[in-house]
Amino acid sequence: MSSGRDATVLLVENDLDSAANMSRQLEQLGRSVFGKPVIVHHCRTVNEAATLAALAPALALAPALVLLDLHAADSDGLQGLMRLRSIFGAPIIVMSRTTDPQLAARAIRAGAQDFLTKPVSVDADMGRAVAMAVERDRIDREQQARLHDAQRSAEAREHAVRVVSHDLQNPLNTLRLCTSALRDRSQPAPAQAPDLIDVIEQSVEWMRQLTTDLLDRTSLDAGMLVLRPEWTNIEALLLHIDTILAASAHEHGVSLVIECAGALPPLEVDPRRLRQVLSNLVGNAIAFTPRGGQVVLSAALAVRATQASNRDSVHETVSRHGVRFTVTDTGPGIPVAELARLFDWSWRLPRRGNAGWGMGLAIAKGLVEAHGSALHVSSVEGAGTTFSFVLPRRSRLIMPRPALSHMQESS
């Protein structure tokens, strides 16, 4: 068996003399190709290799390389190659005394990284083939990983578009009903016209937020989010949050409390994006908190625990570089099983219908991370939820690549 200190090579060769010779060659290659010593496992047949993999599952995952004689007793030519390829996740070099170029081409199409004609030369053919096979396999794996990531991103974007398209139906239907009532000329001007106009404005704002969220999500996925940092007064920013969300809190019967612990230093952040994060977190907290409950948005100098050198007590030391933002509510809390999915793009809290639509939380998380920080959540069912993050005085902003810097912001 191999360890992290060794590279394993599986050799399937029914000629014992040839196998002994190639084993010595592979062990000599060692560090020059793999950067570590080589251990060769020799099997005479494909069936023997399959049995070895069944008896030692770790080997099925461990080989750095498989060498196969296409004409081993039971290999049945390319069938043996395809069988080993299905068992071992490693590059395969096939060997044959046949010089038929068509056989070589079929072997490559069947998944082999190289085709060697026997007898194999130590210094030339073997060393070159092994090095090239390992490198081709690395490139293939990287390409497959990129394709997988691209496919996942495309599927996620498609899912987000479906979610937003579905959610847009509600405000669109509301707009249709309101405009129909206002345009009904068979009836006198409705007395509730001012109320209908208010509903229309709210629906338009709802639609704007949905489309903005979708654009932000696309920018975050593509790594194209543009941040515009500037020195920002935190007290003024919190006052703005209070101003724009006080009416919503009042409408929901929730007390909104803004706490600013002492004089806070200005932070080099994108103020519009920070307002977006806090508005999103506070808005969600208001929506989920029952009437009579409370939502608290607080900002304070970040502290860290330190151990005194001459005694066992632990002290809290004020950080000169950071501000901690916290949003706490007295809502129903989030089930433990749902916390792991909380920041998924399409998360919905069970039993709450659309109220738990999670693109906003995912965007808040992405914006905090774009400032070089992390968004944390803690929750106890029946006792409320707390979101928090710390921004340093000079945020480690993750800016777009220079080639993308000319692009406009996503909203």
Side-chain angles (χ1 to χ4, degrees), residues 197-215:
I197 293 173
D198 287 343
V199 172
I200 289 173
E201 290 178 343
Q202 293 170 10
S203 297
V204 169
E205 175 58 25
W206 185 1
M207 294 169 62
R208 186 200 67 78
Q209 187 60 56
L210 286 172
T211 54
T212 297
D213 284 351
L214 180 59
L215 291 171

Side-chain angles (χ1 to χ4, degrees), residues 176-194:
R176 180 178 58 80
L177 293 172
C178 290
T179 54
S180 296
L182 290 172
R183 292 178 61 186
D184 188 356
R185 297 180 180 178
S186 65
Q187 301 291 333
Q192 70 272 26

